[in-house]
Amino acid sequence: MIARVTLEIALRKEFDYLIPSELAEQVDVGSRVQVPFGPRKVLGCVTAVAEESDRTNLRSILKVIGAQTLVTPKILKLARWIGEYYCCPPEIALKSVLPEAVRKEQAGWRERLYVRVLPLTGEVPKLPKRQHEVWNIISERREMPLQELVALAETTGATVRHLEDKGLIAITTEISERDPYAREQILPTQPLVLDPQQTRALAKIITVMDRPASKPPTLNSESAISSAKLELPLLEPQLPDIKVPAPELKSVFLLHGVTGSGKTEIYLQAIAHALEQGKGAIVLVPEISLTPQTVERFKARFSSGPLQTLVAVLHSHLSAGERHDEWHKIRQGRARIVIGARSAIFAPVDPLGLIIVDEEHEHTYKQEESPRYHARDVAIVRGQMEGAVVVLGSATPSMESFYNCGRGKYTLLEMLERVDNKKMPIVRVIDMRQAMRRGKTIPIFSPQLKEAITQRLERKEQTILFLNRRGFSTSLQCPLCGFVAECPNCSVSLTYHRKAQTLCCHVCGHTAPVPSLCPNEKCKNPQIRYAGLGTERVEDALVKLFPEARIKRMDSDALKRKDDFRRILGDFRVGKIDILLGTQMIAKGLHFPNVTLVGIIYADLALHMPDFRAAERTFQLLTQVSGRAGRGDVEGEVFVQAFTPFHPAIQYARRHDFGGFYEQEIEFREQLKYPPLSRVAMLTLKGRNEEKVKLSADHLRRELEKGLAGLKDLIIAGPAPAPLARAESLYRYQIMLRARQMTAVSQCLSILTQAISLAEDVTLSVDIDPVDLS
């Protein structure tokens, strides 16, 4: 027998190897294997098994990694689609579907010594005092880890070994699973009574889950590059103009529910229905929203009762060992519910009945390095492949998803009222130009926001303040000569961090000491100034304004330890913190009934970025942050400070009017042929020599015009310097392609990028459906 193997080195080829007779029972499609490659031994994945090969003198597989196939045939099919659609080598796509801790050659289980009481044949022999104390503990517990017993009895391992010598206990080596939530006290919860709008939404989802399973789309598994054989609905997860067959039309739902409308309860009850059907579920949550509070809600619901199952958690803050153990719980079928960030979409849940993508508009679902997949789109494709229902949830849906509802591709479910008839918060927009006219400098807090914070402190209510910029000041400037401290590697200014007393680049991480004089040799002015503001400076101002208040800052600079995030949110929940200040990590997924005030320091920070999605992102962020207020019995209030208060994104967010914003924004997109009216591919060239990068970009443009000449409605823009023209010492040029359909463009780009010859040291990356244009 012959195994076709994709190696972990980017060659865009599969290689044939002989399967030795002693490994014949272990090798199957999806097996991880070690094979010889030249003088080296490399790891790879078996993508097909055949009886013969057209090659001769084949070498043999050396060994099989793991007791069971790690990449299931369904995940292998999904990885192939990712490689084809997102223009990346199939081996890179295959590598992304397994966590690194699972890909390793050695089994990553942690083994510990356990002490177990043996059956007694007679009386307990007389024991010395220390051994007797140990015996009393272990005879009561019957079984426990040796390390735990030694600590509890305040003794040594040798004392315990004496009991083993006397035949009272056995000490054995067993696998000890690493559970990141083992120390949490999670109390079981019961399903809540749904209100009418929740009931209607859940009923529609369950109706589709109960339909007879239709045969999923077929995929040729013999070829690594077989996109021509894929069905169109499969290749274009978001394409507006595809005519999807009726059974698949209803398999994707967009749950548009305002903040606090009870979307999570619908998720929980839909998951319970999937479990009743004997199927599993995957819940995707943006990394930033994957708070302990979110995980606890899911674990609490399924920790007991007839639908009891393990809930596995997959995200980047787990240790390698925890990630290994959580993944294997899923592969072995012990955990039937998975909650995690974008990579959790590859969890080997089988059979899969439901995929939930919470906050589906979040740009963090897009991977920034190859393969540059979007987890929401991959979820839709996986749902189609495996016949699973997909629910996209958001208070501020992406333009693409809402547009697909209008075209009949997804089913729209709307919940436009909060549960228990709680009111949406009152949003007040403060014109900071007026506040600035009263004083010489730009104030951090308007008089209205100061007064509102004072009132909340007097009433013992809590406040959340939001500013999506960390550090103390955004730049260091000399008022005499105009010098600005810039990063030597990137085209951005350095941010001043006062606590660490450093200037830091937020792109490449470069740090520099803070100068006491202007670094310009001809100036040397001691009156150097810090311009702009970040969360550190806002915290400093808060401490001076409200000395009695308990204030905590939450950003990536403040959270150094693994459990800091959980600890601060725990303190805020029980009322130990009055004012919580933070970046976007406090904008989503938090439910604190005592928060009655939210203040957004500068609402238009991201509004004037060179990105056609700038208004959409601002609207989403303002709506999401506002949604943290008024979740209890007291009505919430939101203060939005802005220098462009009449911008449509701010005004529509003030009125909680998603429909109005969508209609206005889609008109602008239609005029300029931007998504969702088209699809985008962004080609970025990078190199240390700007002239070489520019010449390569011009050459690429000419090749694109020749190679894509037959495609209709194609718009090529550029080459032009990227908005971030230099990053990590590399100059960057971009070419943007816009087309109605991306399938043909992807195929052409895949061939062209392999064949094109660029200048030395110039690299090319292709990003299909980019979300960040910088």
Side-chain angles (χ1 to χ4, degrees):
M1 294 294 287
I2 308 297
R4 202 149 289 151
V5 180
T6 296
L7 306 179
E8 280 193 358
I9 42 182
L11 298 170
R12 290 183 183 265
K13 290 180 183 176
E14 293 176 317
F15 295 86
D16 289 354
Y17 286 89
L18 286 170
I19 302 175
S21 55
E22 65 271 17
L23 297 179
E25 295 295 315
Q26 299 175 51
V27 175
D28 201 351
V29 173
S31 296
R32 294 268 299 157
V33 292
Q34 186 188 66
V35 294
F37 189 77
R40 294 184 289 165
K41 295 175 183 177
V42 296
L43 297 177
C45 179
V46 177
T47 53
V49 176
E51 291 190 2
E52 55 185 41
S53 170
D54 51 9
R55 301 278 179 178
T56 55
N57 300 323
L58 296 182
R59 302 171 80 178
S60 295
I61 290 172
L62 299 175
K63 65 176 175 179
V64 178
I65 311 297
Q68 64 184 142
T69 56
L70 297 181
V71 184
T72 65
K74 291 173 182 176
I75 297 296
L76 181 60
K77 189 190 292 187
L78 187 65
R80 277 203 170 125
W81 177 84
I82 287 171
E84 290 154 2
Y85 182 70
Y86 289 104
C87 294
C88 78
E91 50 271 22
I92 300 290
L94 259 175
K95 211 171 170 181
S96 69
V97 304
L98 287 177
E100 191 180 350
V102 177
R103 288 203 313 268
K104 285 181 181 173
E105 190 180 335
Q106 302 84 8
W109 295 104
R110 180 179 67 178
E111 293 185 337
R112 294 177 75 184
L113 293 173
Y114 274 78
V115 181
R116 187 165 37 85
V117 175
L118 294 174
L120 281 172
T121 52
E123 292 282 318
V124 179
K126 192 170 182 183
L127 300 170
K129 185 184 176 187
R130 297 296 294 148
Q131 292 178 30
H132 191 72
E133 288 171 358
V134 174
W135 172 250
N136 285 342
I137 294 169
I138 190 60
S139 60
E140 189 180 316
R141 301 281 187 95
R142 308 305 293 174
E143 187 176 352
M144 65 190 298
L146 174 63
Q147 194 177 359
E148 203 177 301
L149 176 61
V150 167
L152 201 61
E154 296 179 347
T155 185
T156 62
T159 307
V160 182
R161 293 278 181 192
H162 286 310
L163 295 177
E164 185 184 30
D165 296 339
K166 290 171 182 173
L168 295 174
I169 62 169
I171 300 176
T172 54
T173 303
E174 293 179 22
I175 288 172
S176 170
E177 289 189 350
R178 291 153 288 204
D179 182 355
Y181 295 87
R183 294 181 184 177
E184 297 292 320
Q185 291 289 324
I186 295 174
L187 301 173
T189 61
Q190 296 303 315
L192 303 176
V193 177
L194 302 181
D195 64 20
Q197 61 177 0
Q198 288 175 307
T199 304
R200 284 192 298 272
L202 181 63
K204 287 186 179 178
I205 294 169
I206 286 177
T207 300
V208 177
M209 291 175 74
D210 286 341
R211 73 179 177 203
S214 57
K215 191 178 178 183
T218 55
L219 178 69
N220 187 313
S221 62
E222 284 301 308
S223 167
I225 307 295
S226 59
S227 51
K229 296 173 181 138
L230 285 163
E231 294 185 11
L232 270 181
L234 192 64
L235 256 177
E236 301 278 6
Q238 281 195 288
L239 195 68
D241 56 356
I242 276 182
K243 301 294 183 283
V244 184
E248 299 203 349
L249 181 69
K250 302 297 181 186
S251 64
V252 182
F253 291 93
L254 176 62
L255 181 59
H256 174 211
V258 298
T259 53
S261 60
K263 294 187 291 293
T264 307
E265 186 59 33
I266 291 178
Y267 300 158
L268 290 164
Q269 296 198 23
I271 291 169
H273 192 73
L275 294 177
E276 286 169 0
Q277 295 177 318
K279 297 178 180 178
I282 294 174
V283 183
L284 296 186
V285 182
E287 184 87 50
I288 217 158
S289 302
L290 200 59
T291 61
Q293 194 178 25
T294 308
V295 175
E296 280 166 22
R297 287 190 72 176
F298 285 87
K299 282 187 171 279
R301 182 61 57 88
F302 300 104
S303 62
S304 62
L307 299 177
Q308 181 177 356
T309 183
L310 292 176
V311 177
V313 183
L314 295 172
H315 58 81
S316 64
H317 295 299
L318 299 180
S319 67
E322 287 169 343
R323 205 172 294 130
H324 171 278
D325 292 1
E326 292 290 292
W327 190 91
H328 278 283
K329 281 181 201 170
I330 306 160
R331 183 69 185 96
Q332 292 162 4
R334 292 185 291 135
R336 293 160 65 204
I337 301 170
V338 179
I339 179 168
R342 61 173 176 258
S343 61
I345 191 56
F346 304 120
V349 177
D350 193 24
L352 180 63
L354 180 67
I355 304 174
I356 291 164
V357 185
D358 192 29
E359 309 288 6
E360 64 86 25
H361 65 276
E362 260 296 314
H363 64 91
T364 52
Y365 281 128
K366 177 76 170 173
Q367 174 105 329
E368 290 179 2
E369 62 274 342
S370 188
R372 294 175 173 82
Y373 66 90
H374 197 301
R376 176 195 60 211
D377 295 353
V378 175
I380 292 165
V381 171
R382 186 172 179 187
Q384 288 179 353
M385 283 181 171
E386 301 191 30
V389 170
V390 180
V391 178
L392 311 177
S394 178
T396 53
S398 63
M399 297 290 290
E400 289 84 355
S401 296
F402 205 76
Y403 184 79
N404 283 337
C405 290
R407 299 297 293 263
K409 192 164 182 237
Y410 304 165
T411 302
L412 178 64
L413 306 173
E414 290 193 299
M415 302 196 303
L416 304 180
E417 293 177 5
R418 285 184 160 184
V419 290
D420 300 330
N421 295 316
K422 290 189 174 71
K423 291 182 181 177
M424 294 298 289
I426 298 165
V427 181
R428 306 185 193 281
V429 180
I430 310 298
D431 188 345
M432 292 302 283
R433 295 170 301 179
Q434 300 288 341
M436 191 179 166
R437 286 186 191 117
R438 296 190 190 107
K440 292 180 181 177
T441 58
I442 302 170
I444 296 174
F445 304 107
S446 61
Q448 298 96 317
L449 182 55
K450 274 189 216 169
E451 179 59 31
I453 294 171
T454 305
Q455 288 174 6
R456 295 322 184 276
L457 291 171
E458 288 170 356
R459 299 204 298 250
K460 306 292 183 193
E461 292 167 4
Q462 290 172 300
T463 300
I464 286 178
L465 296 177
F466 172 81
L467 176 66
N468 205 17
R469 187 182 273 166
R470 58 195 174 92
F472 189 87
S473 296
T474 48
S475 63
L476 182 141
Q477 286 178 313
C478 175
L480 287 183
C481 71
F483 170 86
V484 176
E486 292 184 339
C487 175
N489 309 316
C490 311
S491 53
V492 294
S493 60
L494 295 172
T495 301
Y496 172 50
H497 289 252
R498 193 167 78 168
K499 191 173 180 183
Q501 277 300 302
T502 57
L503 295 172
C504 179
C505 173
H506 288 175
V507 176
C508 71
H510 169 81
T511 57
V514 180
S516 54
L517 305 171
C518 173
N520 185 346
E521 289 294 329
K522 295 177 181 176
C523 179
K524 295 293 182 185
N525 173 28
Q527 302 298 317
I528 199 157
R529 286 184 187 167
Y530 302 105
L533 82 160
T535 47
E536 263 190 51
R537 188 169 169 191
V538 176
E539 182 186 30
D540 189 59
L542 280 171
V543 170
K544 289 172 183 171
L545 282 170
F546 308 105
E548 303 301 316
R550 296 165 296 177
I551 300 158
K552 205 74 187 174
R553 174 167 59 93
M554 265 183 76
D555 55 32
S556 54
D557 296 326
L559 306 181
K560 296 297 182 189
R561 291 195 206 91
K562 190 177 174 182
D563 62 338
D564 280 352
F565 191 55
R566 187 181 303 185
R567 180 179 49 78
I568 292 172
L569 289 183
D571 288 350
F572 193 59
R573 186 189 298 181
V574 297
K576 291 182 181 177
I577 298 168
D578 298 317
I579 302 171
L580 183 65
L581 161 71
T583 54
Q584 61 183 3
M585 63 176 62
I586 64 167
K588 304 171 188 74
L590 303 180
H591 178 85
F592 297 114
N594 198 36
V595 174
T596 59
L597 174 66
V598 167
I600 299 167
I601 307 298
Y602 286 166
D604 36 16
L605 262 185
L607 199 50
H608 310 295
M609 302 286 280
D611 189 331
F612 68 89
R613 289 193 180 94
E616 182 185 1
R617 288 214 183 109
T618 299
F619 174 83
Q620 288 167 345
L621 202 53
L622 296 187
T623 307
Q624 294 285 344
V625 179
S626 301
R628 301 313 107 208
R631 286 172 167 253
D633 297 328
V634 180
E635 190 175 2
E637 200 172 11
V638 180
F639 284 83
V640 178
Q641 299 186 160
F643 288 92
T644 49
F646 300 107
H647 191 284
I650 294 174
Q651 286 300 318
Y652 283 119
R654 180 178 72 83
R655 298 196 293 270
H656 310 288
D657 182 5
F658 173 79
F661 173 77
Y662 173 82
E663 291 301 327
Q664 176 263 334
E665 184 69 11
I666 202 76
E667 198 176 314
F668 148 69
R669 304 276 182 97
E670 204 161 4
Q671 288 172 0
L672 298 172
K673 303 278 193 297
Y674 278 128
L677 283 306
S678 68
R679 310 297 292 277
V680 169
M682 182 67 81
L683 282 64
T684 304
L685 297 103
K686 300 177 189 176
R688 293 185 182 277
N689 184 310
E690 187 176 10
E691 193 58 34
K692 281 185 181 180
V693 177
K694 187 178 184 305
L695 285 170
S696 296
D698 291 334
H699 171 57
L700 178 60
R701 164 86 193 220
R702 290 191 293 271
E703 292 298 313
L704 286 169
E705 287 171 344
K706 282 191 283 183
L708 303 176
L711 297 179
K712 290 181 181 179
D713 303 320
L714 178 71
I715 302 169
I716 303 178
L724 181 59
R726 189 164 170 254
E728 298 176 346
S729 301
L730 299 175
Y731 290 94
R732 308 165 78 245
Y733 273 69
Q734 292 179 336
I735 298 174
M736 180 193 276
L737 307 180
R738 278 173 281 168
R740 285 289 295 168
Q741 289 196 4
M742 192 50 66
T743 312
V745 176
S746 281
Q747 291 170 352
C748 293
L749 284 176
S750 191
I751 296 163
L752 192 145
T753 51
Q754 290 176 66
I756 195 166
S757 175
L758 299 173
E760 191 184 359
D761 297 332
V762 175
T763 59
L764 168 64
S765 63
V766 179
D767 192 356
I768 306 292
D769 301 329
V771 297
D772 183 4
L773 304 183
S774 64

